[in-house]
């Protein structure tokens, strides 16, 4: 009986040791599986689930995922467009994806949307300016004339009214930001002031066949167009609104994949 008791204690100790060795990245993956299990396009996780993910992400640091400002990806080469951005893939399934964007100084992820998604973003290091919008109306676009000064022509432009939700610079360490399908700045633009690393969790991830396409936008000041039924409510500032025009992915935008060399995730 004595030997059995000792053997049982050893097994318990090994189990405890295994639990202690669980990486924070594995904890993030395991929590994502649970939090997004019953979610789908347009379905926001429960308040409890959101808080669980926020708690884990708020505690994650750059060394936890094996990234640092000294990595070669942050060396800017002369370019006529945006500096090249690197993406490290950690995990992807139909429910969620986990990845890290590495932006060199002056790197820009142009204004883009996250259709039917809940997105968690954690700035791991650096200083980044974020500008984000949400739609004002029910989704209707309006066609308005725009003058092409170079050609002297008037052409119709389809735009939709959006309200500015975020327009600030953030410096790590800072709390995780969250955007929702219709709130929290679903359309955002990232501009790296210094070398930056951003850990992103998307639920669900982009999927063209299911209609979750990454759409890019060009902004126009509110005063550019006059639309009869688009009046701002009393107290609303003109500078806090803009017309967004859908555009193709900017030709100068380059996002390249690279190998993630941080702690491995055991996918289940």
């Amino acid at each position: 009986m004595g030997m059995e008791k000792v053997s049982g204690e050893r097994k318990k100790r090994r189990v405890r040791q295994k639990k202690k060795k669980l990486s924070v990245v594995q904890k993030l993956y395991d929590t994502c599986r649970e939090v997004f299990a019953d979610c789908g396009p347009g379905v926001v996780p429960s308040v409890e689930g959101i808080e669980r993910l926020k708690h884990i992400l708020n505690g994650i640091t750059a060394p936890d995922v094996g990234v640092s400002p000294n990595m070669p990806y942050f060396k800017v080469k002369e370019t006529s467009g945006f500096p090249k951005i690197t993406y490290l893939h950690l995990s992807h399934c139909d429910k969620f994806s986990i990845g890290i964007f590495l932006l060199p100084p002056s790197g820009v992820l142009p204004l883009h949307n996250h259709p039917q998604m809940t997105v968690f973003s954690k700035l791991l290091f650096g200083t980044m300016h974020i500008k984000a919008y949400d739609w004002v109306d029910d989704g209707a676009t309006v066609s308005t004339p725009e003058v092409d000064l170079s050609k002297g022509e008037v052409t119709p432009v389809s735009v939709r009214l959006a309200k500015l939700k975020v327009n600030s610079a953030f410096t790590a360490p800072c709390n995780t930001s969250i955007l929702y399908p219709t709130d929290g700045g679903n359309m955002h633009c990232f501009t790296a002031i210094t070398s930056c690393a951003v850990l992103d969790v998307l639920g669900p991830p982009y999927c063209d066949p299911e209609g979750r396409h990454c759409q890019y936008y060009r902004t126009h000041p509110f005063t550019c167009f006059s639309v009869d039924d688009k009046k701002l409510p009393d107290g609303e500032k003109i500078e806090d609104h803009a017309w967004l025009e859908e555009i193709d992915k900017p030709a100068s935008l380059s996002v390249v994949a690279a190998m993630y060399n941080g702690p491995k995730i055991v996918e289940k």
Side-chain angles (χ1 to χ4, degrees), residues 57 78 102 110 189:
L57 286 164
E78 292 298 325
L102 305 178
C189 170

Side-chain angles (χ1 to χ4, degrees), residues 120-146:
F120 298 75
S121 298
K122 172 63 188 296
L123 183 62
L124 297 170
F125 58 75
T127 297
M128 172 180 288
H129 184 271
I130 299 176
K131 196 168 190 177
Y133 295 87
D134 282 321
W135 296 123
V136 168
D137 53 30
D138 59 2
T141 58
V142 295
S143 184
T144 63
E146 181 180 54

